[in-house]
């Protein structure tokens, strides 16, 4: 997004496992384009530490001792809409990733992948979208049925993009396939993430309404 | 009910209220021969006449013989108003026959006009012009009848025809049309009861109600139209049914309302009823007994009928019962009136009320009968509701059982899946970690070797987890996910993908087990490509072909001679995995021409046509996509 080569991207992270945190911190510090501004062990610490302002990127481990990582994501996303939140997961499984995206995260990092990839992933994220696995794309497609009346649904173009990603095409291939620029694909993906978060809120409201009516 | 009774009594009183005007003479006295007469009495100069009072009630004051003469003498003078025409008017004719003479000339004979039943008919007899004279005129009446049948002579009126016709019409309304109308109403109720009886229930009470109503209507209509000129026995039976047929069902209705259920008693009563009708129709020796027996029943109506109902205070509060009781009492009052009329205690000229009794009581009886019917209908409806409720409860129970069954099936599937994953972990991840452990424990492990081994173990774990991710039956997602997982490996090896996976139809039976097998095939093929082929480009295509999804992985590497492979374990392993994936695998390679692996995954419900690649037959008929320059459109 607004990241330029001259100004490093500020990063904060919350991770309860000391080893993992150390490795993340080391990986971030090794990259000059990234600047660590806060590291926290618990969700409470993170929320308190970020009360004054948010970094450009916030890394959240989902398994925190005091609260669920999704709760931290939800609160930070609500308070700082401009902050790019990435959840850190070992497996990138559908349940935790979709949950994170619906809570307001912009993507996820695979824990245990080679560490130099983290900076790469963060750059991807700042450019408009972290790698989206085909499984996740398929699930997003399933949730946001295209071309229904709701504002939170997908446009036909967004559905085409998700469909291509679900079949294993990279962003570049997808752009080529649909005669778009890669940047346009990224923009569409950002919109898709936003819609997923809106959709989950709409669903929640709908569900609450339904229960009250019942 | 009391209002109705009052109205009836008022109507009955109308003739008595009619005052004589100046244009009408009412004769309340007449003369009758003192002894039995042969021929026209005035021809016998020795005949002595004695005075009788009109109306002359033969029950109270029996005449001699059944052929009785009456003489009325009156004078007309110039002071009498000028009449357009003169008539004689008799409000009732309770006689078998009557002949009227004016100044010794016969002018009218009852049996020529009415066969019978004239008792209720008000008669206006016009006097032909020229027969009357100024001074004394004389009217002779020759009456036939039976004292025991309540015959007699009413008052005789003489005067203006128009005025007397008006009175006759009023009288006719009460003792003719109103009886007919009430009989028609009861007849309609009878038809309704018959319909209800036929529709369901088959309640004898309802049937007899129908018979009573219909026979009353039939008898009344026949009587009114005077269709029968002779008194046949069949007609007598009909008359009996009309007057008394309703008594039996009514009695049973009263018993039932009083909750007295005596099937035997009821059967005896029905039989008695049938016997009475039969004995009258057949003019048997018991005819008189039937008539008088029912007459007694008729008279005992209030006592017989009301006492059972009056015994229970709870019953007395029911509106239908109250209505019936009132009707019983009213019927008794009407019977008492008619009885008093016959024996001469009240004016003989008043109309009989007995004809109103059956319709009146049966209309009242219709209410509890209908109520019973409605109660039956309501009970049926309640039963239906209850039945529906039970069916719904049963359906819920069955649904719950189904849910339990589904739950058990889910649990079973989960257990199977757990078993499969455990077995997989045991053979794959577990074995890998054990060998890593022994390498680490040996003390001379290189760090790269260890980290590579651990990374491989992690990949294996991810593979297992990926196999249970939701892919919505989409093979394309499975392929894409393998590529996604391995992207950094391919990037490091400098291999380029030509990716051509089309949108594939859903495969409903794509189980985690099959997914895992497909993933392993791809990992195996890709790692062979990276390690051995020296390929720069790998083309992956997946498309629907008749009956199956066909996946082709082709590289531009150096290829190999399948026959010359020393250690065939890898290939055999691939074939085994293909079988686990529910498909077939074909490897096509040769030195210097790359490798092409084709995996064919058939759809569950579709027959695989012969000659498909992968079945080992005619390959040429299904061109395998080679390395295409660009992925084609989605």
């Amino acid at each position: 997004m607004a990241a330029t080569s001259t100004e490093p991207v500020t990063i904060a992270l919350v991770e309860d496992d000391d080893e993992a945190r150390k490795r993340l911190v080391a990986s971030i510090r090794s990259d000059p384009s990234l600047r660590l501004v806060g590291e926290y062990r618990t969700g409470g610490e993170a929320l308190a530490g970020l009360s004054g302002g948010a970094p450009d990127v916030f890394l959240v481990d989902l398994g925190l001792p005091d609260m669920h990582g999704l709760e931290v994501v939800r609160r930070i996303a609500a308070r700082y809409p401009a902050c790019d939140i990435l959840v850190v997961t070992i497996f990138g499984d559908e349940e935790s990733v979709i949950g994170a995206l619906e809570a307001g995260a912009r993507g996820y990092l695979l824990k245990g992948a080679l560490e130099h990839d983290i900076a790469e992933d963060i750059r991807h994220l700042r450019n408009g979208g972290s790698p989206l696995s085909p499984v996740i794309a398929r699930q997003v497609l399933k949730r946001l049925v295209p071309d229904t009346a709701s504002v939170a649904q997908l446009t036909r173009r967004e559905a085409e993009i998700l469909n291509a990603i679900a079949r294993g095409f990279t962003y570049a291939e997808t752009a080529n396939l649909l005669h778009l620029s890669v940047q346009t694909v990224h923009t569409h993906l950002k919109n898709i993430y936003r819609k997923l978060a809106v959709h989950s809120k709409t669903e929640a409201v709908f569900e609450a309404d339904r229960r009250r009516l019942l | 009910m009391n209002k109705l009774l009052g109205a009836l009594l008022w109507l009955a009183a109308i003739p008595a209220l009619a005052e004589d005007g100046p244009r009408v003479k009412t004769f309340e006295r007449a003369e009758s021969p003192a002894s039995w007469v042969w021929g026209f009495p005035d021809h016998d100069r020795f005949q002595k006449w004695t005075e009788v009072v009109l109306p002359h009630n033969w029950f109270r004051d029996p005449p001699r013989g059944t052929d009785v003469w009456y003489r009325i003498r009156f004078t007309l003078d110039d002071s009498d108003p000028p009449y357009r025409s003169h008539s004689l008017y008799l409000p009732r004719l309770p006689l078998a026959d009557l002949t009227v003479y004016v100044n010794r000339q016969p002018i009218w004979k009852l049996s020529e006009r009415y066969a019978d039943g004239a008792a209720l008919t008000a008669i206006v007899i016009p006097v032909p012009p020229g027969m009357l004279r100024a001074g004394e005129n004389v009217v002779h009446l020759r009456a036939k009848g039976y004292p025991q049948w309540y015959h007699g002579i009413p008052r005789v009126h003489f005067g203006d025809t128009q005025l007397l016709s008006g009175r006759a019409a009023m009288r006719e309304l009460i003792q003719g049309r109103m009886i007919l109308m009430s009989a028609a109403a009861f007849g309609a109720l009878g038809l309704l009861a018959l319909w209800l009886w036929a529709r369901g229930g088959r309640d004898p009470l309802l049937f007899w109600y129908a018979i009573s109503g219909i026979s009353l209507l039939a008898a009344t209509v026949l009587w009114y139209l005077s269709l029968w000129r002779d008194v046949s026995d069949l007609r007598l039976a009909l008359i009996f049914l009309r007057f008394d047929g309703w008594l039996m069902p009514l009695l049973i209705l009263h018993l039932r309302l009083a909750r007295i259920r005596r099937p035997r008693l009821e059967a005896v009563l029905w039989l008695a009823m049938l016997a009475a009708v039969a004995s009258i129709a057949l003019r048997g020796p018991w005819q008189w007994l039937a008539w008088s027996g029912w007459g007694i029943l008729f008279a005992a109506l209030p006592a017989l009928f009301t006492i059972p109902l009056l015994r229970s205070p709870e019953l007395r509060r029911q509106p239908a019962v109250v209505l019936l009781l009132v009707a019983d009492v009213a019927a008794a009052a009407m019977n008492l009136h008619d009885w008093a009329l016959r024996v001469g205690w009240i004016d003989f000229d008043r109309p009989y009320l007995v004809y109103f009794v059956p319709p009146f009581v049966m209309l009242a009886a219709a209410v509890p009968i209908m109520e019973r019917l409605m109660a039956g209908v309501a009970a049926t409806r309640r039963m239906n509701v209850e039945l529906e409720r039970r069916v719904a409860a049963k359906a819920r129970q069955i649904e719950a059982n189904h849910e339990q069954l589904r739950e058990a099936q889910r649990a079973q599937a989960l257990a199977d899946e757990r078993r499969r994953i455990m077995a997989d972990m045991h053979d794959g991840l577990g074995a890998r970690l054990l060998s890593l452990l022994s390498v680490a424990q040996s003390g001379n492990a290189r760090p790269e070797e260890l980290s590579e081994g651990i990374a491989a173990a992690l990949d294996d774990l991810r593979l297992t987890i990926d196999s249970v991710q939701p892919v919505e039956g989409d093979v394309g997602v499975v392929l894409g996910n393998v590529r996604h997982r391995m992207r950094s490996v391919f990037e490091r090896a400098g291999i380029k993908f030509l990716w051509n996976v089309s949108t594939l139809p859903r495969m409903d039976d794509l189980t985690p087990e099959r997914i895992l097998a497909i993933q392993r095939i791809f990992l195996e093929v890709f790692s062979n490509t990276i390690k051995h082929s020296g390929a720069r480009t790998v083309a992956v295509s997946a498309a629907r072909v008749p009956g199956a999804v066909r996946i082709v992985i082709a590289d531009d590497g150096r290829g190999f001679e399948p026959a010359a492979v020393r250690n065939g374990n890898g290939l055999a392993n691939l074939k085994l995995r293909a079988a686990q994936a529910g498909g077939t695998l074909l490897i096509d390679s040769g030195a210097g021409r790359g490798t092409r692996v084709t995996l064919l995954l058939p759809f569950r419900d579709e027959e695989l046509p012969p000659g498909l690649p992968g079945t080992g037959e005619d390959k040429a008929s299904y061109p395998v996509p080679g390395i295409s320059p660009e992925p084609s459109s989605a």
Side-chain angles (χ1 to χ4, degrees):
Chain A
M1 296 231 295
T4 62
S5 54
T6 55
E7 205 173 318
V9 175
T10 57
I11 296 180
L13 61 91
V14 52
E15 163 68 79
D16 63 315
D17 183 62
D18 291 340
E19 280 300 318
R21 196 173 61 252
K22 268 183 207 159
R23 255 180 290 126
L24 275 173
V25 167
S27 176
I28 292 164
R29 288 208 170 126
S30 69
D31 192 315
S33 67
L34 307 176
R35 187 158 63 87
L36 189 70
V37 295
E39 51 175 304
Y40 311 103
R41 273 206 314 273
T42 65
E45 276 180 28
L47 290 174
L50 296 181
S51 61
D56 296 330
V57 175
F58 181 38
L59 306 182
V60 181
D61 180 45
L62 288 181
L64 295 175
D66 57 339
M67 62 173 74
H68 199 280
L70 285 184
E71 189 54 35
V72 180
V73 171
R74 204 169 286 121
R75 295 202 193 171
I76 295 298
R79 208 187 297 166
Y80 308 112
C83 176
D84 286 335
I85 302 169
L86 285 178
V87 294
V88 184
T89 153
I90 302 176
F91 300 115
D93 54 300
E94 174 262 347
E95 199 179 328
S96 43
V97 172
I98 292 280
L101 293 180
E102 284 184 340
R106 301 280 159 80
Y108 63 98
L109 290 179
L110 275 187
K111 222 190 256 188
L114 295 170
E115 307 305 359
H116 66 81
D117 277 349
I118 287 179
E120 180 67 21
D121 284 344
I122 289 172
R123 257 194 301 282
H124 270 306
L125 172 81
R126 297 297 289 170
N127 283 336
S130 64
L132 190 61
S133 85
V135 167
I136 307 295
R138 192 72 175 74
Q139 286 306 307
V140 174
L141 201 54
K142 188 186 167 193
R143 275 166 206 232
L144 306 179
V145 184
D147 281 353
T148 50
S150 169
V151 286
Q153 306 308 316
L154 297 175
T155 65
R156 182 147 307 272
R157 181 59 89 187
E158 288 162 353
E160 281 169 357
I161 289 170
L162 279 178
N163 187 25
I165 293 170
R167 282 181 286 133
F169 289 96
T170 62
Y171 291 173
E173 284 167 354
T174 301
N176 196 13
L177 201 65
L178 300 174
H179 310 294
L180 300 170
S181 72
V182 177
Q183 192 52 49
T184 310
V185 171
H186 280 308
T187 309
H188 279 303
L189 282 169
K190 265 193 282 182
N191 285 337
I192 291 167
Y193 287 146
R194 190 178 46 76
K195 284 183 180 183
L196 195 60
V198 170
H199 172 73
S200 73
K201 277 178 200 149
T202 318
E203 288 280 279
V205 169
F206 173 75
E207 186 68 10
D209 266 358
R210 196 171 67 91
R211 291 210 177 143
R212 195 166 57 234
L213 283 177
L214 282 173
Chain B
M1 195 43 63
N2 281 326
K3 270 188 183 173
L4 185 60
L5 188 63
L8 278 170
L9 289 174
W10 181 82
L11 280 171
I14 284 178
L17 294 173
E19 290 288 329
D20 281 354
R23 296 189 292 168
V24 172
K25 292 178 195 292
T26 298
F27 305 115
E28 296 203 328
R29 287 177 193 284
E31 295 163 295
S32 193
S35 59
W36 186 77
V37 178
W38 180 264
F40 198 84
D42 270 4
H43 294 164
D44 181 357
R45 69 184 67 180
F46 304 108
Q47 183 61 52
K48 283 178 70 177
W49 294 83
T50 54
E51 194 176 79
V52 292
V53 175
L54 296 182
H56 191 206
N57 183 341
W58 292 4
F59 180 81
R60 198 179 178 190
D61 182 14
R64 288 182 187 84
T66 56
D67 206 353
V68 187
W69 285 90
Y70 293 90
R71 186 175 72 183
I72 299 167
R73 287 178 293 179
F74 61 100
T75 53
L76 288 175
D77 52 40
D78 295 341
S79 65
D80 282 322
Y83 305 123
R84 211 152 22 130
S85 72
H86 293 88
S87 286
L88 289 164
Y89 165 59
L90 288 90
R92 293 175 64 212
L93 281 181
L95 290 165
D97 200 2
L98 177 74
T99 313
V100 179
Y101 302 81
V102 173
N103 292 331
R104 296 182 177 81
Q105 297 293 315
I107 63 164
W108 189 87
K109 187 168 166 62
L110 173 65
S111 58
E112 285 170 2
R113 304 285 300 272
Y114 301 92
D116 185 53
L120 296 178
T121 316
I123 295 292
V124 174
I125 304 163
V127 181
M131 294 194 83
L132 294 169
R133 55 191 177 229
E136 193 187 69
N137 292 274
V138 60
V139 171
H140 285 90
L141 304 173
R142 185 185 184 180
K144 274 186 202 280
Y146 311 95
Q148 69 272 30
W149 275 32
Y150 318 129
H151 283 162
I153 283 285
R155 292 180 187 84
V156 178
H157 307 259
F158 173 82
D160 178 38
T161 301
Q162 203 176 1
L163 193 69
L164 291 174
S165 295
R167 280 193 198 177
M170 176 62 81
R171 189 74 186 218
E172 170 71 8
L173 179 70
I174 295 164
Q175 53 190 29
R177 283 176 204 282
M178 274 183 54
I179 290 170
L180 188 69
M181 283 191 290
S182 60
F186 183 32
L189 265 180
L191 287 172
L192 176 68
L194 190 67
W195 181 71
L196 288 174
W197 175 81
R199 275 289 299 272
R202 302 273 164 170
D203 189 344
L205 201 60
L206 215 52
F207 179 72
W208 271 98
Y209 189 91
I211 291 296
S212 307
I214 293 164
S215 62
L216 177 82
L217 179 63
T220 308
V221 167
L222 292 174
W223 160 77
Y224 195 76
L225 300 178
S226 296
L227 288 181
W228 273 328
R229 293 204 157 262
D230 63 322
V231 180
S232 75
D233 294 321
L234 200 60
R235 189 188 177 195
L236 271 182
L238 194 57
I239 290 171
F240 172 75
L241 274 176
R242 170 193 173 189
F243 283 111
D244 300 329
W246 52 279
L247 282 169
M248 193 52 66
L250 195 66
L251 181 56
I252 289 174
L253 175 68
H254 279 69
L255 290 176
R256 291 223 186 143
L257 278 179
R259 313 236 167 85
I260 300 171
R261 283 212 73 127
R262 296 272 175 77
R264 276 191 193 171
L265 176 68
E266 286 183 17
V268 166
L269 289 172
W270 289 132
L271 280 175
M273 181 87 208
L274 279 172
V277 174
S279 71
I280 287 165
L282 303 173
R283 200 191 278 269
W286 302 99
Q287 197 183 40
W288 65 271
L289 188 64
W291 279 114
S292 13
W294 251 260
I296 292 165
L297 193 62
F298 202 87
L301 187 100
L304 255 181
F305 288 14
T306 55
I307 285 171
L309 289 183
L310 284 171
R311 281 192 323 174
S312 154
E314 182 214 343
L315 278 174
R316 284 202 302 267
R317 281 196 294 275
Q318 289 181 15
V321 171
V322 171
L323 184 67
L324 201 56
L325 286 175
V326 169
D328 287 342
V329 172
M334 288 191 260
N335 281 330
L336 194 66
H337 168 274
D338 287 8
W339 182 76
L341 189 150
R342 284 171 196 143
V343 299
W345 286 359
I346 59 173
D347 192 340
F348 188 65
D349 282 357
R350 292 174 66 93
Y352 281 130
L353 296 181
V354 67
Y355 302 97
F356 296 105
V357 171
F360 188 67
V361 178
M362 289 312 276
L363 282 174
V367 175
I369 287 182
M370 292 295 160
E371 224 173 40
R372 277 160 52 100
L373 212 67
M374 290 301 129
V377 170
T380 309
R381 194 175 299 134
R382 271 200 304 280
M383 222 179 286
N384 279 345
V385 169
E386 171 66 15
L387 205 64
E388 272 168 25
R389 196 189 60 75
R390 283 191 197 171
V391 167
K394 201 47 116 180
R396 274 198 300 279
Q397 196 186 331
I398 289 169
E399 178 59 32
N401 288 349
H402 270 262
E403 187 52 44
Q404 274 177 357
L405 192 65
R406 275 198 293 274
E407 191 55 48
Q409 282 170 343
R410 269 199 294 276
Q412 182 62 41
L414 221 72
D416 287 349
E417 191 59 24
R418 192 178 297 124
R419 203 171 299 122
R420 187 190 63 76
I421 291 174
M422 287 312 293
D424 204 68
M425 294 260 186
H426 196 263
D427 297 341
L429 188 62
R432 218 182 271 275
L433 288 175
L434 271 179
S435 77
L436 275 175
L437 185 64
S438 68
V439 168
Q441 281 170 341
S442 69
N444 50 8
R446 286 175 295 119
E448 313 88 71
E449 195 185 347
L450 277 180
S451 78
E452 238 174 68
I454 292 169
L458 201 57
D459 279 345
D460 211 71
L461 183 59
R462 290 207 172 108
L463 204 65
T464 305
I465 286 168
D466 279 353
S467 74
V468 295
Q469 295 290 296
V471 298
E472 316 293 327
D474 192 342
V475 179
V477 173
V478 178
L479 301 183
N481 225 40
V482 175
R483 182 190 185 186
H484 182 77
R485 282 274 180 242
M486 296 188 69
R487 71 188 189 282
S488 52
V489 179
F490 285 117
E491 275 170 23
R492 275 203 305 280
I495 288 175
K496 198 179 152 218
F497 265 108
L498 288 178
W499 196 259
N500 191 12
V501 174
S502 19
T503 300
L504 296 170
R506 187 187 168 91
M507 255 185 178
D508 283 325
D509 51 347
L510 201 59
T511 58
E513 193 176 2
R514 294 182 66 191
I515 291 172
L516 191 64
I518 295 168
Q519 286 173 332
R520 285 201 196 285
I521 290 169
F522 275 81
L523 282 178
E524 184 92 29
V525 171
F526 287 154
S527 72
N528 283 339
T529 303
I530 291 168
K531 282 181 193 160
H532 308 302
S533 76
R536 305 304 306 157
T537 311
V538 177
V540 176
S541 72
R544 190 200 170 125
V545 294
V549 168
R550 187 183 56 199
I551 301 155
V552 180
I553 307 159
D555 67 41
D556 58 354
R558 60 181 72 95
F560 64 99
E561 284 296 340
V565 174
R566 275 173 303 158
N567 183 359
N569 256 357
L571 298 187
N573 208 25
L574 278 178
K575 299 262 182 193
L576 183 71
R577 298 252 187 246
Q580 283 170 353
T584 49
L585 188 89
L586 180 74
I587 296 166
D588 179 28
S589 186
R593 58 181 181 92
T595 305
R596 185 181 308 250
V597 177
T598 305
L599 176 64
L600 207 60
L601 298 171
F603 287 108
R604 187 174 40 184
D605 303 332
E606 293 180 36
E607 282 286 312
L608 210 57
L612 268 180
T615 56
E617 292 173 41
D618 184 12
K619 279 180 263 176
S621 64
Y622 282 89
V624 177
I627 298 172
S628 49
E630 286 293 336
S632 63
S633 73

